[in-house]
Amino acid sequence: MSQHKGKIITGLIVVFIIFYAISVYWSVEPSRVNVITQAKQEAQLRGEKFVTGYTTTSALINVATTLLNKPGGYLSNDMMPPSVLMDNMPAWEYGALEMTRDLALSMRKDFSRSQSQSTEHEALKKAQPQFNISSEAWAWPSAESEYQKGIDFLIVYRTQIADQNARESQFYARADNLRGWLKEAEKRLGSLSQRLSASVGQERLNTDLAGDKEAHQATYAPLQNQVKTSWWKIDDVFYESRGATWALLHFLQAVEYDFADVLEKKNARVSLQQIIRELEATQETVWSPIILNGNGFGFVANHSLVMANYISRANAALIELSELLAQG
């Protein structure tokens, strides 16, 4: 009887080791790629003209494809071990997905339209909603199947803008279009920075109505309140930020190429390059096996505050870039 129990225990240990090894492998974050080189290669392979907008569209396609095809595939909606027990990679996926959703929306309502009353591009009209399904949807339709449909529609759009005869399909590299998307990125980074900073808990003054003495809000809010991210969620917020900045880095690199003339005219290219440099620091290797949550200048490091610092600096540079683009 004891021998039988020993075999069961040994078997469980082996299964645990296998699951742990798989989890470690699936938790490896995708590396960055050169989106310009990648887009040129895809255009050559598909026999398509490398036009304005091809790089940005390709970056969006490839970031979304990476979510589905990285080691382990898309994990956020998995219902079986070991992925159901993992939370860092699903948080990373969600961060990248949010950035993907923002760019897909800007592609639909801004980049592909010449003016506010122009007609939406049919492929983008179908692509953008596909990315809005819940990231945890596993039954029919699953998140993966809907995201893949969105990718397929984006590929259709990319092919059409490369076709010189399809003149109704366009990508407009204008300062106002770029500024609209950057404003969305600002909000994402600002939110992430605040949530990361709240890892140690802060007493925050209510500045919601600052700057307008006639402003009102729907319900009463205290003049100050305690904001603190639950220690259960600290690593999730950290890896969500890693995923978001990973995706944003690819998009900014693509935008730098497609909007090169606009950026040069506004003398803003160096500002965009500085943002990219700040965000690159968010992708440095995390050597600690766990995300530490030390207090301020305490003995133990606080990875969330370090990440918040990089993101805050990038966000400040994004705001300055938006102001440059708004100038005549």
Side-chain angles (χ1 to χ4, degrees):
M1 188 69 177
S2 60
Q3 185 178 7
H4 181 66
K5 288 183 178 179
K7 290 182 178 180
I8 294 176
I9 293 173
T10 301
L12 291 174
I13 292 174
V14 170
V15 170
F16 174 80
I17 293 174
I18 293 173
F19 278 180
Y20 178 76
I22 293 174
S23 298
V24 170
Y25 176 60
W26 286 357
S27 295
V28 176
E29 299 169 25
S31 58
R32 286 181 58 201
V33 299
N34 187 310
V35 297
I36 301 170
T37 301
Q38 189 176 49
K40 288 180 177 179
Q41 290 174 345
E42 290 179 3
Q44 185 176 14
L45 287 173
R46 298 173 64 88
E48 295 174 344
K49 188 175 179 61
F50 190 67
V51 297
T52 299
Y54 201 97
T55 304
T56 301
T57 309
S58 295
L60 180 57
I61 291 169
N62 292 323
V63 165
T65 301
T66 299
L67 285 174
L68 305 184
N69 297 338
K70 59 181 175 52
Y74 184 74
L75 304 179
S76 294
N77 62 350
D78 283 3
M79 304 298 292
M80 298 293 290
S83 49
V84 72
L85 304 174
M86 300 168 60
D87 60 351
N88 291 345
M89 182 50 70
W92 186 95
E93 291 174 346
Y94 186 74
L97 177 62
E98 287 284 82
M99 287 296 179
T100 298
R101 287 169 171 170
D102 287 347
L103 182 54
L105 180 59
S106 291
M107 294 275 287
R108 175 182 176 180
K109 67 186 183 69
D110 293 322
F111 293 159
S112 63
R113 303 176 67 183
S114 60
Q115 52 190 349
S116 61
Q117 298 191 27
S118 58
T119 305
E120 290 183 306
H121 191 280
E122 193 64 28
L124 293 178
K125 182 179 178 181
K126 295 176 181 178
Q128 182 264 325
Q130 301 301 134
F131 294 107
N132 289 337
I133 188 174
S134 170
S135 60
E136 298 179 354
W138 62 273
W140 187 88
S142 67
E144 295 100 319
S145 64
E146 295 301 285
Y147 298 159
Q148 185 59 58
K149 290 177 183 178
I151 293 169
D152 293 340
F153 285 125
L154 287 173
I155 293 174
V156 170
Y157 168 73
R158 186 179 63 180
T159 297
Q160 290 177 345
I161 63 172
D163 184 354
Q164 300 300 296
N165 296 318
R167 297 185 179 180
E168 72 283 357
S169 300
Q170 298 288 346
F171 182 99
Y172 298 98
R174 296 199 318 255
D176 58 334
N177 287 350
L178 178 56
R179 187 168 181 264
W181 172 66
L182 291 177
K183 284 294 183 182
E184 294 302 317
E186 282 178 30
K187 295 173 185 177
R188 291 292 181 197
L189 293 186
S191 175
L192 290 172
S193 176
Q194 290 292 316
R195 291 164 61 199
L196 288 164
S197 299
S199 62
V200 294
Q202 294 178 329
E203 285 286 344
R204 290 184 184 167
L205 298 175
N206 188 339
T207 60
D208 294 344
L209 304 180
D212 186 353
K213 65 180 181 180
E214 301 297 330
H216 296 279
Q217 61 188 65
T219 57
Y220 169 78
L223 294 179
Q224 66 179 33
N225 62 317
Q226 173 77 17
V227 179
K228 183 175 176 62
T229 301
S230 166
W231 72 275
W232 283 102
K233 297 294 184 180
I234 287 171
D235 59 335
D236 293 345
V237 176
F238 180 86
Y239 281 102
E240 180 183 335
S241 302
R242 294 265 291 189
T245 50
W246 175 86
L248 184 58
L249 274 167
H250 288 83
F251 298 156
L252 289 174
Q253 185 184 6
V255 160
E256 181 185 2
Y257 184 86
D258 279 331
F259 289 80
D261 292 340
V262 172
L263 293 169
E264 290 291 348
K265 181 180 179 181
K266 300 286 186 177
N267 198 26
R269 189 165 191 170
V270 67
S271 298
L272 180 57
Q273 291 172 340
Q274 182 61 34
I275 297 168
I276 292 174
R277 180 168 297 182
E278 295 288 359
L279 290 178
E280 284 175 340
T282 67
Q283 302 301 301
E284 294 293 330
T285 302
V286 180
W287 295 106
S288 173
I290 60 174
I291 301 304
L292 299 176
N293 189 41
N295 291 319
F297 295 108
F299 182 74
V300 179
N302 188 304
H303 293 105
S304 296
L305 291 184
V306 174
M307 179 69 79
N309 175 58
Y310 293 137
I311 290 179
S312 294
R313 286 160 55 181
N315 196 32
L318 266 179
I319 294 171
E320 292 178 0
L321 176 59
S322 295
E323 292 175 353
L324 280 175
L325 294 173
Q327 296 172 6

